[in-house]
């Protein structure tokens, strides 16, 4: 079929003319899960779209530029594993994903930048942590738990988390007090000059 008759057939049959699917694994092949704004590098996207960025608008997230990461990019970064005892079931689980500091570095935030990270989760929970503290505690942006991708609706798709069990001063606290700085369903980080 030549192009003309293909187009005619497509129009007649109501066929959608689609672009070929992008190869799996590359940037843009999977949904953006994390948007980092504030004191970042040059960024890879423009301002919040007041019409289409509905969740960010509802949660009053504002920026003029940001750096986005899709699932493939995050899952493809050097991975760190932590094994915290979770307060939900009081069992140790294996959480894996890139170091939070490495994700920020990829967004143009220097490792020793004196900044605070205002993290925002899908339910609006938004703890703030100093980058230096997140590094000290070894925070990761977990993409996987016990070998499986984290689910939206559960603790995912991303969970900023660490291993409290490694820190005696934190283990001294009840397990229910160890995760206040760990937003599950985190999707935005505002990097604030301290
Ligand atoms: N997205 C999200 N993450 C969260 C919370 C929350 O309400 N929403 N609560 C925090 C607090 S204060 C604690 S103690 C733990 C457990 O809270 P949760 O039982 O509400 O998940 O998760 C932390 N992470
Ligand atoms: Mo809490």
């Amino acid at each position: 079929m030549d192009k003309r008759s293909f187009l005619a057939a497509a129009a007649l049959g109501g066929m959608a003319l689609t672009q070929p699917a992008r190869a799996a694994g590359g940037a843009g092949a999977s949904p953006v899960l994390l948007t980092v704004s504030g004191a970042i590098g040059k960024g890879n996207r423009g301002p919040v779209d007041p019409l289409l960025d509905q969740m960010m608008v509802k949660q009053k997230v504002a920026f003029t530029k940001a750096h986005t990461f899709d699932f493939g990019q995050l899952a493809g970064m050097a991975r760190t594993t932590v094994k915290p005892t979770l307060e939900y079931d009081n069992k140790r689980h294996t959480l894996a994903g890139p170091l939070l500091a490495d994700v920020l570095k990829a967004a143009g935030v220097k490792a020793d930048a004196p900044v605070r990270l205002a993290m925002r989760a899908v339910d609006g929970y938004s703890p703030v942590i100093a980058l230096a503290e997140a590094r000290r505690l070894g925070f990761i942006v977990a993409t996987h738990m016990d070998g499986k991708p984290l689910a939206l609706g559960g603790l995912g798709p991303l969970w900023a988390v660490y291993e409290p069990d490694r820190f005696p001063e934190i283990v001294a606290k009840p397990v229910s007090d160890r995760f206040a700085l760990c937003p599950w369903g985190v999707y935005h980080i505002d990097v604030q000059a301290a």
Side-chain angles (χ1 to χ4, degrees):
M1 205 179 341
D2 65 22
K3 190 172 170 207
R4 231 184 124 135
S5 43
F6 174 75
L7 288 174
L12 280 171
M15 275 167 62
L17 291 171
T18 55
Q19 298 288 335
R22 288 187 214 224
S30 56
V32 166
L33 295 186
L34 182 67
T35 299
V36 182
S37 64
I40 61 165
K42 70 177 165 56
N44 61 6
R45 66 155 283 174
V48 172
D49 182 324
L51 301 179
L52 298 181
D53 286 325
Q54 281 289 322
M55 191 162 80
M56 293 199 282
V57 170
K58 283 211 167 118
Q59 296 193 347
K60 311 243 181 312
V61 170
F63 53 77
T64 52
K65 65 168 187 192
H67 195 113
T68 63
F69 295 89
D70 68 26
F71 178 78
Q73 289 170 311
L74 294 167
M77 290 176 71
R79 192 179 275 195
T80 292
T81 295
V82 296
K83 295 194 172 165
T85 304
L86 299 190
E87 69 171 279
Y88 301 112
D89 59 4
N90 212 35
K91 290 187 178 132
R92 288 190 96 138
H93 289 270
T94 302
L95 285 140
L99 285 170
L100 176 55
D102 286 350
V103 173
L104 291 163
K105 200 169 161 197
V109 182
K110 291 207 180 79
D112 61 355
V115 293
R116 296 184 313 161
L117 311 172
M119 301 185 281
R120 182 165 295 273
V122 291
D123 63 339
Y125 188 66
S126 52
V128 179
I129 187 171
L131 172 57
E133 182 68 353
R135 288 178 64 200
R136 183 180 81 84
L137 296 174
F139 261 74
I140 66 168
V141 178
T143 55
H144 289 73
M145 182 162 78
D146 303 327
K148 287 184 296 207
L150 286 166
L152 180 59
L155 295 164
L158 301 176
W159 189 16
V161 68
Y162 71 114
E163 188 174 309
D165 312 67
R166 284 186 196 166
F167 301 91
E169 78 279 13
I170 295 173
V171 173
K173 299 186 201 175
V175 69
S176 56
D177 287 353
R178 300 175 193 167
F179 294 95
L181 294 175
C182 303
W184 42 258
V186 64
Y187 76 94
H188 174 250
I189 298 175
D190 183 34
V191 183
Q192 303 175 339

